[in-house]
Amino acid sequence: MTIRRALRSLLFWAFGLGLGLACVSGQALAQAPAQTLELRAAQATVTLKGQTQQQAVNLPYHWDRKHPGLAGSATFELAFELAAVPIEPYALYLPRLGNAYEIWLNGTLLQTKGDLQQGNGADYAKAPRLIELDPSLLRTRNVFRVHIRADVGRRGGLAPLTLGPRAQVQELYQHDYDWRITGSLAVVIFSLLIGVVALALWATQVDVSASGWLKRDPLYLFAALAELSWTLRIGDTLIAHSPIAWPWWGMVGLLAATVWVSSMMLFCVEVADWGRLTAAIWLRRWLGLLLATSVAAGAAALAGGFPLAMTLLYAALGLTALIFASLFIWQAARGASLAHRLVALVLLWNTLVGLRDLYVFRISQGYGGNTLMRYSSVLFGVTLGCIVIMRFRAASAQARDLNANLLARVAHREQELTQSYQRLEQLAREQERALERSRILRDMHDGVGSHISTAIRQLESGRSGPGEVLQTLRDSLDQLKLSIDAMNLPPGDINALLANIRYRLEPRFLACNIAWQWNVEVLKPVSRLDASAMRQLQFMLFEALSNVLQHAQASVLQIAASSLSAAGTGVRLQIIDNGRGFDVAQVKHRGLLSMQERAHAIDATLDISSTARRTRLEITIE
């Protein structure tokens, strides 16, 4: 079942339940048990402004209609006869009386509520009353005497009395009590809960606008104001002692009713998305004026004795609500969102119920009945819950779509990054191969190529003998072998580098009658010397050894290697021969310049000193 079908079913059952309750209520009120006696004819003694008058009346007696804008007191005497004195328990049911009252039966006080002398006190006219009677108090001729005190605008008066067997009268009372008091309590709890939830949603559902301001949804605010004000309005039914004195409490109730109607209209404006229309702006201004006027109208009607002011306020508020409801429903019928149509159905139902209550309590002569608007208004809370559910589903669907879109974009980006990484990796490998080829070519050019070029020049000049040319070619071959060996050297392992050089070059030195003195310690690998740096160091050592072999005319060669510190960090390499020596300051041999460049490239220090019979080349790597 889709959400739309579920919501339609919910509203269908809600409307059906409301209609059924209304029918049941009407039937229960219209049908009284046959054995009960309804007393309507009474002799009334009414006191207004110190003047008393007597008259025969027919109940119900609605004080605010009989004496608009005036407070006073009255005594009603209702005589009745019984065919026989009952022996079973009897009870008296009064749908409404007060605002304060006393009830007497044949000179016996049955019940009293409130102060009959002090006006604007507690209001006991809100709840129905049930008084159990001892059969011994009844006679064949009887008189009920009811004293009431009525305040301005508090719906004081006296409804018809129902007398009969306790079980039957109890049923009438319980039905009325459930509708008026228990039902009101349920409405108060429900409206309070909905109002608090709506207020929490308004406070927590915050969006940041483009300008950086925090933006909240006014729909939840108006719903919260409507439900909380309705809670206050209906909650008044449950209390006899108001928190503040009358008529100020009456002004609070009037203001709450005005806030409820105004907030519900503004709630509907937000549901229909009319908030930015010019008409909506004027509507808000008009409702603000009505809110301000309600205080003055309440003061004039309840404190000033001018009830027409409250009537005019209700008329203006009702006419505004009726026009707005007509436009809202008409727009929903033409085609609107699901939320708009749901609220329109609820608004139509409440409008019809409101017209019913208007007729019952303002036009007809009924007194003591129950309003149905307090129950039909619950549908607004149900509709708000439906709207929240729809919004939550829409937000969840949007979040799922955004999440799916984000996942797709992330996957696409990951794929692009993977492809880019693969391309970069391929380019890096190609660059590495190109660099390796360039290094090999450079090494061959600097080493093998240089020696071969030298051999060619020696042969072309005719001044070099076969031995010299052979020496040059052997150097070229040694250089080539060392270049190949360098490819497999572990990075930073200077011991392996020196051992490799010894393996390749020592036989040549021995063949030339140059003795080797090997003084090399076990060295820790130097981590900063990578493969490229190791090749640079190898070229420096080969160049130094080649110079000794070709130019020094030495008989002893010493190779020494040691650590710079006790911890084994840093390395000092020395090549010392006992040859003829040379002037370091004057000799600008190409090989010496190349060694300086290579030392700088690996951040090493090259130091050369030479005297007769002792030449020392030292390489320091820290």
Side-chain angles (χ1 to χ4, degrees):
M1 181 180 292
T2 63
I3 185 67
R4 294 180 176 226
R5 294 174 58 189
L7 294 177
R8 288 171 183 167
S9 300
L10 177 62
L11 284 177
F12 173 79
W13 287 107
F15 279 115
L17 179 61
L19 183 61
L21 290 175
C23 294
V24 171
S25 174
Q27 292 177 357
L29 292 175
Q31 298 179 359
Q35 297 182 12
T36 60
L37 178 64
E38 187 178 61
L39 305 178
R40 289 182 173 268
Q43 189 69 28
T45 302
V46 181
T47 301
L48 293 170
K49 297 182 178 181
Q51 298 182 359
T52 302
Q53 58 179 358
Q54 293 183 351
Q55 56 182 328
V57 298
N58 193 39
L59 301 181
Y61 192 89
H62 197 316
W63 184 274
D64 289 329
R65 292 188 183 180
K66 298 289 186 180
H67 314 287
L70 297 175
S73 61
T75 300
F76 300 89
E77 292 187 356
L78 297 92
F80 64 96
E81 295 182 359
L82 296 176
V85 176
I87 57 176
E88 60 180 323
Y90 258 47
L92 176 66
Y93 163 55
L94 301 97
R96 183 182 292 270
L97 78 162
N99 304 104
Y101 65 87
E102 284 182 355
I103 302 176
W104 299 74
L105 172 60
N106 298 327
T108 300
L109 179 63
L110 299 179
Q111 191 176 80
T112 179
K113 294 287 184 181
D115 188 347
L116 295 176
Q117 305 301 321
Q118 184 65 37
N120 294 334
D123 184 6
Y124 293 97
K126 300 174 182 179
R129 303 295 170 182
L130 179 69
I131 303 175
E132 296 184 0
L133 302 178
D134 188 341
S136 63
L137 297 178
L138 293 171
R139 308 184 185 113
T140 55
R141 294 176 179 269
N142 304 274
V143 175
F144 277 117
R145 181 177 292 106
V146 182
H147 303 281
I148 67 168
R149 185 213 76 224
D151 301 323
V152 177
R154 303 182 81 174
R155 299 194 69 213
L158 181 62
L161 283 65
T162 301
L163 177 69
R166 184 173 62 183
Q168 299 178 11
V169 175
Q170 173 77 28
E171 182 178 355
L172 293 176
Y173 163 78
Q174 192 63 48
H175 177 273
D176 197 10
Y177 186 89
D178 290 341
W179 271 90
R180 195 184 306 178
I181 304 302
T182 307
S184 296
L185 179 60
V187 170
V188 165
I189 295 174
F190 178 81
S191 298
L192 181 60
L193 177 63
I194 296 296
V196 171
V197 171
L199 191 62
L201 289 174
W202 175 78
T204 56
Q205 300 298 310
V206 181
D207 294 328
V208 179
S209 62
S211 59
W213 291 92
L214 297 181
K215 183 179 179 182
R216 292 181 172 88
D217 194 342
L219 181 143
Y220 296 126
L221 176 61
F222 294 135
L225 291 176
E227 293 296 336
L228 294 178
S229 59
W230 194 244
T231 299
L232 180 62
R233 178 69 174 176
I234 301 303
D236 177 58
T237 307
L238 306 175
I239 57 175
H241 297 271
S242 57
I244 58 177
W246 189 269
W248 307 112
W249 181 245
M251 298 179 193
V252 172
L254 179 61
L255 180 61
T258 308
V259 170
W260 178 73
V261 176
S262 302
S263 299
M264 289 312 306
M265 283 190 280
L266 295 177
F267 168 79
C268 294
V269 166
E270 296 300 325
V271 170
D273 199 18
W274 292 349
R276 298 183 178 180
L277 299 180
T278 304
I281 297 175
W282 283 104
L283 175 64
R284 284 192 287 267
R285 293 175 179 175
W286 171 245
L287 293 177
L289 179 62
L290 290 179
L291 284 172
T293 305
S294 65
V295 179
L302 302 178
F306 187 66
L308 182 60
M310 187 181 296
T311 302
L312 293 176
L313 174 66
Y314 279 137
L317 196 61
L319 183 61
T320 302
L322 186 60
I323 295 174
F324 177 83
S326 301
L327 294 174
F328 190 86
I329 296 170
W330 176 71
Q331 185 65 34
R334 292 183 59 190
S337 64
L338 177 59
H340 188 161
R341 295 197 298 270
L342 288 175
V343 175
L345 288 174
V346 174
L347 191 60
L348 175 61
W349 176 256
N350 276 269
T351 300
L352 296 176
V353 172
L355 293 175
R356 176 263 178 195
D357 287 350
L358 176 65
Y359 171 78
V360 170
F361 293 97
R362 294 291 177 179
I363 299 176
S364 72
Q365 297 300 316
Y367 178 72
N370 299 308
T371 63
L372 297 182
M373 177 66 78
R374 70 184 65 187
Y375 302 109
S376 64
S377 64
V378 170
L379 293 177
F380 278 113
V382 176
T383 306
L384 175 62
C386 295
I387 291 175
V388 171
I389 294 175
M390 287 188 293
R391 287 191 170 192
F392 177 76
R393 290 188 74 253
S396 298
Q398 184 179 13
R400 287 194 299 270
D401 293 340
L402 290 175
N403 190 33
N405 186 30
L406 181 60
L407 290 176
R409 292 176 62 184
V410 169
H412 180 67
R413 180 62 65 183
E414 287 180 349
Q415 184 178 5
E416 290 181 346
L417 290 174
T418 301
Q419 295 174 353
S420 177
Y421 175 76
Q422 292 174 352
R423 288 194 298 268
L424 290 175
E425 188 177 11
Q426 182 178 0
L427 290 174
R429 287 195 299 267
E430 292 177 356
Q431 185 179 13
E432 185 177 357
R433 286 193 294 267
L435 291 174
E436 185 66 17
R437 288 193 295 267
S438 177
R439 181 194 66 79
I440 294 173
L441 291 174
R442 186 176 64 252
D443 291 348
M444 291 179 67
H445 176 270
D446 293 344
V448 179
S450 176
H451 287 89
I452 293 175
S453 298
T454 301
I456 292 173
R457 287 196 299 271
Q458 288 174 341
L459 291 174
E460 288 177 346
S461 66
R463 293 177 295 187
S464 299
E468 294 178 352
V469 176
L470 181 60
Q471 179 67 32
T472 302
L473 292 175
R474 285 175 176 172
D475 287 345
S476 175
L477 182 59
D478 290 336
Q479 179 69 56
L480 180 60
K481 292 178 179 179
L482 289 172
S483 296
I484 295 173
D485 292 339
M487 295 180 182
N488 300 316
L489 286 176
D493 192 347
I494 296 177
N495 282 119
L497 174 63
L498 294 175
N500 189 51
I501 291 175
R502 183 180 184 182
Y503 172 76
R504 293 295 182 186
L505 299 182
E506 185 178 13
R508 287 187 56 198
F509 278 80
L510 295 177
C512 296
N513 295 320
I514 301 175
W516 274 52
Q517 293 182 358
W518 187 260
N519 188 18
V520 176
E521 298 178 359
V522 177
L523 305 174
K524 290 184 177 180
V526 181
S527 59
R528 68 180 186 85
L529 293 181
D530 56 9
S532 176
M534 293 291 285
R535 287 193 297 270
Q536 298 285 3
L537 181 59
Q538 184 194 61
F539 269 91
M540 294 170 63
L541 295 173
F542 179 79
E543 183 67 29
L545 294 174
S546 180
N547 288 337
V548 172
L549 188 62
Q550 296 180 31
H551 307 294
Q553 299 178 4
S555 61
V556 177
L557 173 66
Q558 179 183 359
I559 297 179
S562 60
S563 299
L564 295 178
S565 65
T569 59
V571 173
R572 177 183 292 108
L573 301 175
Q574 291 181 330
I575 298 177
I576 304 171
D577 66 81
N578 63 347
R580 62 181 180 175
F582 63 95
D583 189 350
V584 178
Q586 293 183 1
V587 176
K588 301 298 182 183
H589 191 271
R590 181 176 176 274
L592 296 178
L593 295 177
S594 176
M595 284 193 292
Q596 291 285 359
E597 293 176 356
R598 293 180 186 277
H600 179 72
I602 65 173
D603 196 21
T605 303
L606 176 65
D607 181 57
I608 302 175
S609 63
S610 181
T611 62
R613 312 308 298 172
R614 179 178 172 82
T615 299
R616 179 184 59 83
L617 182 142
E618 181 176 289
I619 302 172
T620 304
I621 303 173
E622 296 182 355

